[in-house]
Amino acid sequence: MTLLNKAAARCGLVLAVLAAAAPIGATTVPTQSWNGYHWAHTGNLAIMVGNNTSAKWAPYLSTAETVWSTDKYIDFLPMASMTSATSCAGIYGTIQVCSGNYGATGWSGWTTVYTSGTSIYQATIKLNDYYFNQAKYNKAAYFQQVICQELGNALGLDDSDHSYTNANIGSCMDYTNDSSGTLGTNGTLANTAPSMSDVTHLDGIYSVFDSTQLAFTKPKVSSNAQAVAGSVPEPASWSMMFVGFGALGVAMRRGRKADLAVAFAR
């Protein structure tokens, strides 16, 4: 996206912090994997997505859920609000998507995945209306790219290109100065949906099965994930965030080294 100088998240202190967070003895991760993070699965995944956004986000969230659900391993299950937009608290076994005016933070979208080892057990996505309410960013293509990209990150998929000035590759995981491909700055392709390459790389991440899977992420599970909301602490209540260039941070809960919260900003 144009706003945030996200390329800074890939260098300096932040990269060193992420490397330190990688599990000892980790094997080579698939292409476009975000540090090996993934939802543990013994079969297909049906991940509930709580919608804690304002009405203007509804069509973009719905479209992004639908396109990512075309992946052969992934189904997103749209759910009603489970938390408040202000706190955007994580709920075990789900992805919570929130929107609100979070202020001049330097990011338009912020994804946090909560992991045990490299296994994701919940995720949150914040969409910052402080920027989306400004004319420069209040555009359908920008809305669509950001929510598409954040949902991809919440699955453990890394961004595909970190240069704003390269020609668009037709992927919402691709940084650009023009999400729509109509301004003459980045070619003519729209970066508003996953590309075939994104899907192939996502399949590479999820083609290897795990020995366990969260009950809430198994297809046809009817349990109400909201029932466990009170059992999961909010990041601010237990973590210390190290942020580099206002773009990316890693937090570790004191006394429980197996649990990580990793944030990825746009």
Side-chain angles (χ1 to χ4, degrees):
M1 298 358 146
T2 56
L3 171 64
L4 307 170
N5 190 22
K6 293 187 292 182
R10 294 297 168 185
C11 61
L13 173 64
V14 175
L15 187 59
V17 171
L18 262 186
I24 296 174
T27 57
T28 302
V29 297
T31 303
Q32 211 175 320
S33 170
W34 176 19
N35 210 40
Y37 300 127
H38 68 286
W39 292 77
H41 64 306
T42 57
N44 284 5
L45 284 155
I47 304 173
M48 289 177 277
V49 180
N51 182 1
N52 312 281
T53 68
S54 58
K56 67 181 179 181
W57 279 101
Y60 306 110
L61 176 58
S62 178
T63 296
E65 289 169 332
T66 298
V67 295
W68 282 118
S69 293
T70 61
D71 183 83
K72 62 183 177 181
Y73 296 111
I74 307 294
D75 280 314
F76 281 140
L77 305 181
M79 303 290 287
S81 175
M82 295 181 180
T83 184
S84 72
T86 302
S87 66
C88 203
I91 295 180
Y92 191 75
T94 76
I95 298 170
Q96 296 301 309
V97 182
C98 311
S99 70
N101 185 339
Y102 300 114
T105 57
W107 49 263
S108 57
W110 185 286
T111 294
T112 304
V113 297
Y114 299 73
T115 71
S116 178
T118 57
S119 295
I120 301 170
Y121 59 84
Q122 66 188 36
T124 60
I125 295 171
K126 285 185 174 182
L127 305 165
N128 193 352
D129 286 334
Y130 175 88
Y131 297 106
F132 288 103
N133 287 333
Q134 298 176 17
K136 184 177 181 179
Y137 306 107
N138 188 9
K139 299 177 181 178
Y142 190 68
F143 277 75
Q144 195 64 68
Q145 177 173 16
V146 170
I147 184 55
C148 176
Q149 192 172 99
E150 302 304 330
L151 282 174
N153 290 148
L155 292 171
L157 190 67
D158 201 352
D159 302 312
S160 56
D161 179 36
H162 301 130
S163 171
Y164 292 100
T165 57
N166 289 344
N168 289 357
I169 62 174
S171 163
C172 65
M173 308 305 294
D174 171 31
Y175 292 3
T176 180
N177 286 320
D178 174 24
S179 300
S180 67
T182 62
L183 300 181
T185 60
N186 295 79
T188 59
L189 296 178
N191 281 0
T192 55
S195 67
M196 288 302 298
S197 178
D198 294 328
V199 174
T200 297
H201 292 144
L202 188 64
D203 285 346
I205 295 170
Y206 285 97
S207 62
V208 178
F209 291 92
D210 301 282
S211 59
T212 60
Q213 181 169 340
L214 298 178
F216 288 132
T217 65
K218 292 182 178 180
K220 300 183 180 179
V221 170
S222 60
S223 298
N224 182 3
Q226 195 166 2
V228 300
S231 66
V232 182
E234 297 178 25
S237 69
W238 52 260
S239 67
M240 179 176 291
M241 191 71 73
F242 298 90
V243 180
F245 306 101
L248 182 149
V250 177
M252 182 174 290
R253 185 175 183 180
R254 297 185 185 92
R256 291 185 61 186
K257 294 184 179 179
D259 290 341
L260 298 177
V262 184
F264 212 155
R266 301 282 152 264

